[in-house]
Amino acid sequence: NPVSSPMFGETQKVTVIGNPAVPSETIPLMLDSAGTKPGPVVRPGVTLTILDGDLQPGGWVYSVRTDEGTKGWISEKRLRLKF
């Protein structure tokens, strides 16, 4: 099972992918890279800046910061590059 390289790099701008069936759903950021401690929530479509990445058993997770300064960790599958 080869390790995939991270999809995003430091300082890149990304946006959170929401659940199309539940547009108002918020997405929790995690306080730790292992995803054991829920942190602040963000809205789908919010712009995040990648601060760091960490490879976990379930895949890459990223330390991110909102424009307002909220920080947390989020799974790569919840992110896409912002254009």
Side-chain angles (χ1 to χ4, degrees):
N1 188 7
V3 172
S4 64
S5 52
M7 202 183 296
F8 308 113
E10 287 173 37
T11 75
Q12 273 189 304
K13 297 278 188 184
V14 294
T15 186
V16 178
I17 303 167
N19 178 349
V22 193
S24 60
E25 178 191 45
T26 54
I27 291 108
L29 299 178
M30 294 292 158
L31 295 179
D32 62 326
S33 61
T36 61
K37 302 186 197 85
V41 297
V42 292
R43 288 187 312 280
V46 70
T47 299
L48 301 170
T49 302
I50 302 282
L51 304 177
D52 197 6
D54 188 32
L55 185 58
Q56 289 290 323
W60 283 93
V61 294
Y62 296 91
S63 172
V64 294
R65 185 184 65 227
T66 67
D67 291 344
E68 293 77 42
T70 303
K71 290 183 184 173
W73 290 83
I74 190 167
S75 163
E76 183 173 84
K77 59 182 173 285
R78 300 304 304 250
L79 298 175
R80 65 177 171 79
L81 204 52
K82 186 169 179 76
F83 298 108

